[in-house]
Amino acid sequence: MSRAAVVFHERDHDLGVRNVGSLGPALRERGFETTTFSFEGDSRDAQRPPAEAFDVVVLMGSPDAAYDDSLPWLAEEVEFIDSAVAHRVPVLGVCFGGQLLARVLGGTVTRAEQSEHGFVYVESDDRDLIPSGPWMQFHDDTFSVPPNGLSVAQTAAAQQAFVHGPHLGLQFHPEITADVFESWVQGWDARGVRAEVEASVDVEAIRAEVAAREESSRQACGRLVDVFLDRAAGFR
């Protein structure tokens, strides 16, 4: 059986597992055994396999910044991603994960001039890989396309997707479900930042749209996983 590492970024293990959303089932439905873990806090699993033991690595989102080297766990995760890249293990990065993948590959991650929250229309240059249309956004930072990478999707505010060899970095959240969004809200509560988020984001409006789009989002996630895996297989 193929193996997928799914790396989340939450101090609370249960919340982190919920953050994975529809990506976990999509991988398992396609024959992958998923190992879900974090490098952070109480969720850290020191006994996890090395990157080269996996067939795919998936990096999830985070409320932290991919350029914040004061994070005590970040260097270890960067080393893990470096190893995956060196061993040509395909990496799928989501939001923070996409930013961190871009950084490891030589790109930059900075504060965005314009944040994006909620479903935003994404314009794609490769609609077979990333269909144009509304994708869930929740970010204040942005990445540049790394050297030898190719931009494949954008909004007016930010790069949204790039490919680099077998790897795919995303700024948006294909994994979104109603439960994923609720896990984010509970994470904000745990970190004491919910009031700060709600001061600038219409959480109730986004919650309602996430629920309304849940099934179409789940289907779009599955299609994206299919294309990512098919594309990655071409580099073996």
Side-chain angles (χ1 to χ4, degrees), residues 202-222:
D202 190 340
V203 170
E204 288 305 315
I206 295 175
R207 176 184 276 125
E209 189 166 13
V210 166
R213 292 181 179 269
E214 184 164 41
E215 184 53 34
S216 61
S217 294
R218 195 185 308 275
Q219 292 174 10
C221 181

PDB file of all heavy atoms in Angstrom, residues 202-222:
ATOM      1  N   ASP A 202     -15.628  38.480   8.254  1.00  0.00           N
ATOM      2  CA  ASP A 202     -17.028  38.133   8.512  1.00  0.00           C
ATOM      3  C   ASP A 202     -17.126  36.605   8.658  1.00  0.00           C
ATOM      4  O   ASP A 202     -17.412  35.887   7.690  1.00  0.00           O
ATOM      5  CB  ASP A 202     -17.911  38.640   7.372  1.00  0.00           C
ATOM      6  CG  ASP A 202     -19.396  38.516   7.694  1.00  0.00           C
ATOM      7  OD1 ASP A 202     -19.753  37.721   8.587  1.00  0.00           O
ATOM      8  OD2 ASP A 202     -20.202  39.197   7.034  1.00  0.00           O
ATOM      9  N   VAL A 203     -16.865  36.129   9.853  1.00  0.00           N
ATOM     10  CA  VAL A 203     -16.800  34.690  10.101  1.00  0.00           C
ATOM     11  C   VAL A 203     -18.136  34.019   9.810  1.00  0.00           C
ATOM     12  O   VAL A 203     -18.186  32.925   9.231  1.00  0.00           O
ATOM     13  CB  VAL A 203     -16.337  34.422  11.552  1.00  0.00           C
ATOM     14  CG1 VAL A 203     -16.498  32.940  11.919  1.00  0.00           C
ATOM     15  CG2 VAL A 203     -14.884  34.858  11.731  1.00  0.00           C
ATOM     16  N   GLU A 204     -19.233  34.645  10.200  1.00  0.00           N
ATOM     17  CA  GLU A 204     -20.541  34.018   9.991  1.00  0.00           C
ATOM     18  C   GLU A 204     -20.865  33.868   8.512  1.00  0.00           C
ATOM     19  O   GLU A 204     -21.418  32.838   8.087  1.00  0.00           O
ATOM     20  CB  GLU A 204     -21.628  34.823  10.703  1.00  0.00           C
ATOM     21  CG  GLU A 204     -21.595  34.693  12.208  1.00  0.00           C
ATOM     22  CD  GLU A 204     -21.653  33.244  12.671  1.00  0.00           C
ATOM     23  OE1 GLU A 204     -22.484  32.481  12.121  1.00  0.00           O
ATOM     24  OE2 GLU A 204     -20.869  32.877  13.550  1.00  0.00           O
ATOM     25  N   ALA A 205     -20.520  34.863   7.707  1.00  0.00           N
ATOM     26  CA  ALA A 205     -20.788  34.771   6.271  1.00  0.00           C
ATOM     27  C   ALA A 205     -19.946  33.666   5.637  1.00  0.00           C
ATOM     28  O   ALA A 205     -20.436  32.905   4.788  1.00  0.00           O
ATOM     29  CB  ALA A 205     -20.500  36.107   5.599  1.00  0.00           C
ATOM     30  N   ILE A 206     -18.689  33.556   6.052  1.00  0.00           N
ATOM     31  CA  ILE A 206     -17.830  32.503   5.512  1.00  0.00           C
ATOM     32  C   ILE A 206     -18.320  31.137   5.965  1.00  0.00           C
ATOM     33  O   ILE A 206     -18.365  30.185   5.172  1.00  0.00           O
ATOM     34  CB  ILE A 206     -16.367  32.736   5.922  1.00  0.00           C
ATOM     35  CG1 ILE A 206     -15.842  34.029   5.294  1.00  0.00           C
ATOM     36  CG2 ILE A 206     -15.494  31.549   5.500  1.00  0.00           C
ATOM     37  CD1 ILE A 206     -14.451  34.416   5.741  1.00  0.00           C
ATOM     38  N   ARG A 207     -18.706  31.022   7.219  1.00  0.00           N
ATOM     39  CA  ARG A 207     -19.236  29.743   7.731  1.00  0.00           C
ATOM     40  C   ARG A 207     -20.419  29.278   6.881  1.00  0.00           C
ATOM     41  O   ARG A 207     -20.507  28.097   6.510  1.00  0.00           O
ATOM     42  CB  ARG A 207     -19.648  29.900   9.188  1.00  0.00           C
ATOM     43  CG  ARG A 207     -20.294  28.658   9.771  1.00  0.00           C
ATOM     44  CD  ARG A 207     -20.763  28.909  11.198  1.00  0.00           C
ATOM     45  NE  ARG A 207     -19.699  28.733  12.161  1.00  0.00           N
ATOM     46  CZ  ARG A 207     -19.309  29.646  13.048  1.00  0.00           C
ATOM     47  NH1 ARG A 207     -19.893  30.839  13.075  1.00  0.00           N
ATOM     48  NH2 ARG A 207     -18.346  29.376  13.899  1.00  0.00           N
ATOM     49  N   ALA A 208     -21.325  30.195   6.572  1.00  0.00           N
ATOM     50  CA  ALA A 208     -22.506  29.837   5.783  1.00  0.00           C
ATOM     51  C   ALA A 208     -22.120  29.418   4.370  1.00  0.00           C
ATOM     52  O   ALA A 208     -22.676  28.442   3.826  1.00  0.00           O
ATOM     53  CB  ALA A 208     -23.475  31.017   5.732  1.00  0.00           C
ATOM     54  N   GLU A 209     -21.160  30.108   3.755  1.00  0.00           N
ATOM     55  CA  GLU A 209     -20.772  29.756   2.392  1.00  0.00           C
ATOM     56  C   GLU A 209     -20.013  28.432   2.366  1.00  0.00           C
ATOM     57  O   GLU A 209     -20.184  27.638   1.430  1.00  0.00           O
ATOM     58  CB  GLU A 209     -19.937  30.863   1.758  1.00  0.00           C
ATOM     59  CG  GLU A 209     -19.697  30.622   0.279  1.00  0.00           C
ATOM     60  CD  GLU A 209     -19.167  31.826  -0.467  1.00  0.00           C
ATOM     61  OE1 GLU A 209     -18.739  32.798   0.188  1.00  0.00           O
ATOM     62  OE2 GLU A 209     -19.162  31.782  -1.714  1.00  0.00           O
ATOM     63  N   VAL A 210     -19.193  28.188   3.371  1.00  0.00           N
ATOM     64  CA  VAL A 210     -18.495  26.896   3.452  1.00  0.00           C
ATOM     65  C   VAL A 210     -19.511  25.761   3.501  1.00  0.00           C
ATOM     66  O   VAL A 210     -19.368  24.746   2.801  1.00  0.00           O
ATOM     67  CB  VAL A 210     -17.566  26.848   4.683  1.00  0.00           C
ATOM     68  CG1 VAL A 210     -17.105  25.417   4.969  1.00  0.00           C
ATOM     69  CG2 VAL A 210     -16.353  27.756   4.478  1.00  0.00           C
ATOM     70  N   ALA A 211     -20.544  25.912   4.322  1.00  0.00           N
ATOM     71  CA  ALA A 211     -21.575  24.876   4.429  1.00  0.00           C
ATOM     72  C   ALA A 211     -22.313  24.701   3.108  1.00  0.00           C
ATOM     73  O   ALA A 211     -22.580  23.562   2.675  1.00  0.00           O
ATOM     74  CB  ALA A 211     -22.553  25.229   5.541  1.00  0.00           C
ATOM     75  N   ALA A 212     -22.640  25.805   2.454  1.00  0.00           N
ATOM     76  CA  ALA A 212     -23.392  25.726   1.202  1.00  0.00           C
ATOM     77  C   ALA A 212     -22.584  25.066   0.090  1.00  0.00           C
ATOM     78  O   ALA A 212     -23.151  24.398  -0.787  1.00  0.00           O
ATOM     79  CB  ALA A 212     -23.823  27.125   0.772  1.00  0.00           C
ATOM     80  N   ARG A 213     -21.274  25.240   0.117  1.00  0.00           N
ATOM     81  CA  ARG A 213     -20.409  24.724  -0.941  1.00  0.00           C
ATOM     82  C   ARG A 213     -19.736  23.402  -0.556  1.00  0.00           C
ATOM     83  O   ARG A 213     -18.864  22.928  -1.276  1.00  0.00           O
ATOM     84  CB  ARG A 213     -19.323  25.752  -1.273  1.00  0.00           C
ATOM     85  CG  ARG A 213     -19.831  27.032  -1.927  1.00  0.00           C
ATOM     86  CD  ARG A 213     -18.655  27.957  -2.241  1.00  0.00           C
ATOM     87  NE  ARG A 213     -19.061  29.182  -2.894  1.00  0.00           N
ATOM     88  CZ  ARG A 213     -19.139  29.354  -4.215  1.00  0.00           C
ATOM     89  NH1 ARG A 213     -18.850  28.327  -5.034  1.00  0.00           N
ATOM     90  NH2 ARG A 213     -19.496  30.503  -4.741  1.00  0.00           N
ATOM     91  N   GLU A 214     -20.111  22.813   0.572  1.00  0.00           N
ATOM     92  CA  GLU A 214     -19.343  21.691   1.101  1.00  0.00           C
ATOM     93  C   GLU A 214     -19.212  20.535   0.104  1.00  0.00           C
ATOM     94  O   GLU A 214     -18.110  20.017  -0.107  1.00  0.00           O
ATOM     95  CB  GLU A 214     -19.953  21.180   2.408  1.00  0.00           C
ATOM     96  CG  GLU A 214     -19.134  20.077   3.040  1.00  0.00           C
ATOM     97  CD  GLU A 214     -19.516  19.835   4.494  1.00  0.00           C
ATOM     98  OE1 GLU A 214     -20.719  19.850   4.797  1.00  0.00           O
ATOM     99  OE2 GLU A 214     -18.610  19.649   5.308  1.00  0.00           O
ATOM    100  N   GLU A 215     -20.301  20.123  -0.508  1.00  0.00           N
ATOM    101  CA  GLU A 215     -20.218  18.967  -1.403  1.00  0.00           C
ATOM    102  C   GLU A 215     -19.418  19.298  -2.658  1.00  0.00           C
ATOM    103  O   GLU A 215     -18.586  18.487  -3.105  1.00  0.00           O
ATOM    104  CB  GLU A 215     -21.612  18.479  -1.783  1.00  0.00           C
ATOM    105  CG  GLU A 215     -21.599  17.212  -2.637  1.00  0.00           C
ATOM    106  CD  GLU A 215     -20.791  16.074  -2.016  1.00  0.00           C
ATOM    107  OE1 GLU A 215     -20.769  15.938  -0.775  1.00  0.00           O
ATOM    108  OE2 GLU A 215     -20.154  15.320  -2.790  1.00  0.00           O
ATOM    109  N   SER A 216     -19.623  20.460  -3.247  1.00  0.00           N
ATOM    110  CA  SER A 216     -18.856  20.823  -4.440  1.00  0.00           C
ATOM    111  C   SER A 216     -17.376  20.987  -4.090  1.00  0.00           C
ATOM    112  O   SER A 216     -16.502  20.627  -4.901  1.00  0.00           O
ATOM    113  CB  SER A 216     -19.403  22.107  -5.071  1.00  0.00           C
ATOM    114  OG  SER A 216     -19.311  23.208  -4.184  1.00  0.00           O
ATOM    115  N   SER A 217     -17.077  21.483  -2.893  1.00  0.00           N
ATOM    116  CA  SER A 217     -15.685  21.607  -2.459  1.00  0.00           C
ATOM    117  C   SER A 217     -15.046  20.235  -2.301  1.00  0.00           C
ATOM    118  O   SER A 217     -13.891  20.013  -2.689  1.00  0.00           O
ATOM    119  CB  SER A 217     -15.606  22.372  -1.138  1.00  0.00           C
ATOM    120  OG  SER A 217     -16.014  23.712  -1.275  1.00  0.00           O
ATOM    121  N   ARG A 218     -15.790  19.297  -1.747  1.00  0.00           N
ATOM    122  CA  ARG A 218     -15.274  17.939  -1.552  1.00  0.00           C
ATOM    123  C   ARG A 218     -14.957  17.286  -2.911  1.00  0.00           C
ATOM    124  O   ARG A 218     -13.921  16.631  -3.081  1.00  0.00           O
ATOM    125  CB  ARG A 218     -16.298  17.102  -0.785  1.00  0.00           C
ATOM    126  CG  ARG A 218     -15.735  15.797  -0.224  1.00  0.00           C
ATOM    127  CD  ARG A 218     -16.843  14.978   0.423  1.00  0.00           C
ATOM    128  NE  ARG A 218     -17.619  15.738   1.391  1.00  0.00           N
ATOM    129  CZ  ARG A 218     -17.278  15.891   2.668  1.00  0.00           C
ATOM    130  NH1 ARG A 218     -16.165  15.347   3.121  1.00  0.00           N
ATOM    131  NH2 ARG A 218     -18.055  16.594   3.490  1.00  0.00           N
ATOM    132  N   GLN A 219     -15.843  17.470  -3.866  1.00  0.00           N
ATOM    133  CA  GLN A 219     -15.623  16.900  -5.189  1.00  0.00           C
ATOM    134  C   GLN A 219     -14.418  17.552  -5.869  1.00  0.00           C
ATOM    135  O   GLN A 219     -13.603  16.858  -6.499  1.00  0.00           O
ATOM    136  CB  GLN A 219     -16.875  17.075  -6.046  1.00  0.00           C
ATOM    137  CG  GLN A 219     -18.054  16.244  -5.570  1.00  0.00           C
ATOM    138  CD  GLN A 219     -19.320  16.529  -6.346  1.00  0.00           C
ATOM    139  OE1 GLN A 219     -19.307  17.220  -7.363  1.00  0.00           O
ATOM    140  NE2 GLN A 219     -20.451  16.002  -5.877  1.00  0.00           N
ATOM    141  N   ALA A 220     -14.289  18.872  -5.725  1.00  0.00           N
ATOM    142  CA  ALA A 220     -13.156  19.573  -6.324  1.00  0.00           C
ATOM    143  C   ALA A 220     -11.844  19.118  -5.703  1.00  0.00           C
ATOM    144  O   ALA A 220     -10.824  18.981  -6.394  1.00  0.00           O
ATOM    145  CB  ALA A 220     -13.329  21.080  -6.165  1.00  0.00           C
ATOM    146  N   CYS A 221     -11.850  18.864  -4.404  1.00  0.00           N
ATOM    147  CA  CYS A 221     -10.660  18.366  -3.720  1.00  0.00           C
ATOM    148  C   CYS A 221     -10.256  17.005  -4.272  1.00  0.00           C
ATOM    149  O   CYS A 221      -9.073  16.754  -4.551  1.00  0.00           O
ATOM    150  CB  CYS A 221     -10.910  18.292  -2.218  1.00  0.00           C
ATOM    151  SG  CYS A 221      -9.483  17.722  -1.257  1.00  0.00           S
ATOM    152  N   GLY A 222     -11.216  16.119  -4.447  1.00  0.00           N
ATOM    153  CA  GLY A 222     -10.920  14.801  -4.986  1.00  0.00           C
ATOM    154  C   GLY A 222     -10.324  14.867  -6.380  1.00  0.00           C
ATOM    155  O   GLY A 222      -9.359  14.146  -6.694  1.00  0.00           O
TER     156      GLY A 222
END
